[in-house]
Amino acid sequence: MSLSKKYVTFRGRVVILGFGSIGQGSLPLILRHIDMDPRRITIVTAEERGHEEAKALGIAFILKPLTRENYLAVLEPLLGPGDFLVNVSVEVSSIALMEFCHRKDVLYLDTCIEPWPGAYTDATLSPSQRSNYALREQALTLRRQHGGKGPTALVTHGANPGLVSHFVKQALIDIARDTGLKVDTPRRREDWAALAHQLSVKVIHIAERDTQVADVPKVPGEFVNTWSIDGFYSEGMQPAELGWGTHERALPPDGNRHDFGSGSAIYLDRPGAGTRVRSWTPIEGPYHGFLVTHGESISIADYLTAREGERALYRPTVHYAYHPCDGAVLSLHELAGKNWELQARKRLLMDEITEGIDELGVLLMGHAKGVYWYGSVLSIAEARKLAPYHNATGLQVTAPVLAGMIWAIENPERGVVEPDEIDYQRILEITRPYLGKLVGAYGDWTPLRDRGRLFPEDLDRSDPWQFKNFRVT
């Protein structure tokens, strides 16, 4: 597929809110694949970073942090009916922006649901209230209030959350094919849940291993990462969250249910940055990852729930298992030692990266063929060839931002919608050229492999797919 193909024509205005690594990386892809006048794009951001790049492309650049008090005054002149707000910022309320866009008949996309500043670390809020589960419920409440109608607002459509929901659907189709189950591609939510149930998928990990390394090592008092440090810190400080499967026999000792909403997820009395789990990818093999909260852990679990009335007959356990680049792991270790006070210095790894890949996919477990990982294996060298202003991690986010925009332009009146509810084949068609190798690999790994060989552990050997077997205690 050509890297210069124009997928849609857009005559409205576009506001890109936030211009960090994802905003800067998304802009060239938008200009490459959406037929529009660059002069109709405006960047609104809290930082000077990227000003020269925008200027070189003839893009208007407004240096103005958005707050509760000023966001309406800043955005009102920039957006009207038929325009598009692409929100890749942090610490700006997604719900407030979605309400604004609904009122103004403006298309909307974000990569995660963000609250106003301070919500993630507000000690006056319960862990349940500070969760991604609660933020998602706010978005779903907004959808109900609007009757499921209005301009399309595609929420949480980056790499994860976002792209991985489409990986899950492709993985289910692959497993069905390889186990001899003849099925038509499901079209309804209930049919996808029935397929996952029929295949006996008990657990889904968003299994990611980032091996990118830089020639400038992390120094004490510095947090380094291959994507937004502020974004990683904020989600890492939220309670660890996971979609909670119907096969699970007991809540974790520090596990809690929510007393509102769909009931599809639980949270732990620990930050995600301090919670580790065992997982597997085809290249890395077994590893320890961080159970950082992400919206897809909840939305995928909810989407794949098979119900009889109000009772859940089937739901897989779903969560992130993230091994960031080694510099970020050192940064998290130092962060924990400082009682979760973020380091004063922050460095986004970009030009100094010398080698490595981001192996990002979904690991489906419990079915007849053991475990199946499906996802993107993208190297830093290939990312640099494909698009400017990127490392491997960033391109896996910006490609689905582009695809989500195109889908929203093609489907402009869908109201508030999640990645799980849209056309996975269309999204994969658009993102595929930017994802390196799309790999599907089976394995015989389980979280019980070689356990108890050196130290005795409290494990459930009758069912390897119980959460207690995955958790690193």
Side-chain angles (χ1 to χ4, degrees):
M1 188 176 297
S2 170
L3 289 180
S4 60
K5 179 178 180 179
K6 298 289 188 183
Y7 286 95
V8 290
T9 297
F10 189 63
R11 297 295 179 233
R13 295 175 292 178
V14 172
V15 170
I16 300 175
L17 181 58
F19 206 56
S21 60
I22 303 309
Q24 289 178 50
S26 297
L27 180 58
L29 300 187
I30 293 168
L31 295 175
R32 183 182 291 179
H33 294 290
I34 299 178
D35 182 15
M36 68 173 300
D37 185 346
R39 294 170 298 180
R40 296 182 68 79
I41 300 176
T42 301
I43 293 160
V44 179
T45 180
E47 298 182 18
E48 180 70 21
R49 184 174 49 170
H51 189 190
E52 291 302 317
E53 289 84 349
K55 183 179 179 181
L57 293 168
I59 307 296
F61 191 95
I62 298 175
L63 185 61
K64 189 81 171 178
L66 290 198
T67 66
R68 291 176 190 264
E69 292 74 28
N70 74 3
Y71 79 98
L72 290 176
V74 173
L75 295 178
E76 284 277 2
L78 302 176
L79 292 163
D83 294 336
F84 207 133
L85 175 59
V86 180
N87 176 20
V88 287
S89 67
V90 295
E91 295 195 326
V92 179
S93 168
S94 302
I95 302 301
L97 294 176
M98 290 160 65
E99 289 177 324
F100 166 81
C101 287
H102 182 82
R103 177 172 58 83
K104 297 277 285 187
D105 197 21
V106 170
L107 300 174
Y108 174 85
L109 177 143
D110 63 33
T111 56
C112 66
I113 302 175
E114 284 275 328
W116 289 115
Y120 289 138
T121 54
D122 185 350
T124 67
L125 298 177
S126 70
S128 178
Q129 292 170 318
R130 292 189 290 110
S131 67
N132 263 310
Y133 179 95
L135 290 170
R136 176 177 181 258
E137 287 296 330
Q138 291 176 34
L140 296 180
T141 297
L142 197 63
R143 172 161 70 183
R144 289 190 291 270
Q145 290 173 349
H146 296 157
K149 299 178 180 179
T152 295
L154 178 54
V155 296
T156 67
H157 204 272
N160 53 315
L163 180 64
V164 295
S165 289
H166 310 301
F167 284 170
V168 166
K169 288 183 175 179
Q170 185 61 60
L172 289 170
I173 294 297
D174 291 353
I175 297 168
R177 176 198 65 213
D178 296 339
T179 55
L181 180 63
K182 294 183 179 180
V183 295
D184 294 327
T185 300
R187 297 299 176 191
R188 301 182 307 147
R189 173 180 188 158
E190 295 81 6
D191 299 331
W192 283 109
L195 177 58
H197 191 189
Q198 188 173 2
L199 292 172
S200 298
V201 174
K202 290 186 175 180
V203 180
I204 301 174
H205 284 183
I206 291 77
E208 180 177 7
R209 175 59 165 116
D210 183 349
T211 65
Q212 293 171 98
V213 294
D215 58 7
V216 180
K218 171 192 153 32
V219 298
E222 178 185 52
F223 198 116
V224 302
N225 197 20
T226 54
W227 60 282
S228 170
I229 286 102
D230 291 327
F232 190 19
Y233 173 72
S234 64
E235 69 186 26
M237 290 301 96
Q238 287 179 272
E241 295 182 76
L242 57 160
W244 193 241
T246 49
H247 73 287
E248 300 285 1
R249 293 170 177 161
L251 278 176
D254 56 353
N256 302 272
R257 298 186 186 274
H258 301 276
D259 60 5
F260 60 96
S262 68
S264 60
I266 66 168
Y267 66 94
L268 308 181
D269 289 327
R270 293 184 60 81
T275 307
R276 292 185 301 160
V277 289
R278 293 169 174 83
S279 195
W280 180 91
T281 63
I283 296 175
E284 177 69 16
Y287 70 94
H288 284 182
F290 293 94
L291 200 165
V292 175
T293 177
H294 263 192
E296 77 273 12
S297 301
I298 304 152
S299 69
I300 293 172
D302 193 14
Y303 190 79
L304 294 180
T305 299
R307 295 185 180 276
E308 184 177 72
E310 294 299 313
R311 186 170 70 93
L313 295 175
Y314 162 81
R315 179 190 300 123
T317 291
V318 185
H319 61 79
Y320 200 9
Y322 180 37
H323 192 311
C325 71
D326 291 353
V329 173
L330 288 174
S331 301
L332 286 171
H333 180 70
E334 182 181 53
L335 174 68
K338 303 299 182 184
N339 293 318
W340 310 111
E341 283 291 326
L342 184 60
Q343 291 92 324
R345 292 179 56 193
K346 295 175 275 188
R347 178 160 55 97
L348 179 70
L349 301 180
M350 193 66 71
D351 294 339
E352 63 266 50
I353 297 174
T354 57
E355 60 180 323
I357 63 170
D358 203 321
E359 192 181 11
L360 168 66
V362 294
L363 182 67
L364 279 65
M365 293 169 271
H367 49 82
K369 293 183 71 66
V371 302
Y372 181 65
W373 188 93
Y374 182 86
S376 161
V377 178
L378 180 63
S379 71
I380 180 62
E382 189 166 8
R384 286 171 172 158
K385 290 178 183 177
L386 290 169
Y389 314 128
H390 281 94
N391 58 32
T393 309
L395 191 52
Q396 288 168 330
V397 178
T398 58
V401 168
L402 168 72
M405 286 186 67
I406 292 169
W407 184 88
I409 292 167
E410 294 172 337
N411 300 270
E413 298 178 354
R414 291 286 297 272
V416 177
V417 64
E418 295 184 290
D420 315 272
E421 299 168 320
I422 72 176
D423 182 354
Y424 83 99
Q425 293 168 318
R426 180 59 167 155
I427 299 300
L428 292 181
E429 174 193 7
I430 298 166
T431 57
R432 187 173 285 111
Y434 292 107
L435 299 178
K437 295 179 181 178
L438 279 178
V439 174
Y442 290 99
D444 60 0
W445 176 82
T446 83
L448 296 178
R449 175 69 56 83
D450 296 327
R451 298 282 293 282
R453 182 169 57 88
L454 298 178
F455 303 99
E457 298 185 73
D458 178 23
L459 302 172
D460 187 340
R461 296 190 180 276
S462 66
D463 180 6
W465 313 118
Q466 293 293 304
F467 176 67
K468 69 179 298 183
N469 294 333
F470 289 99
R471 190 169 182 183
V472 179
T473 57

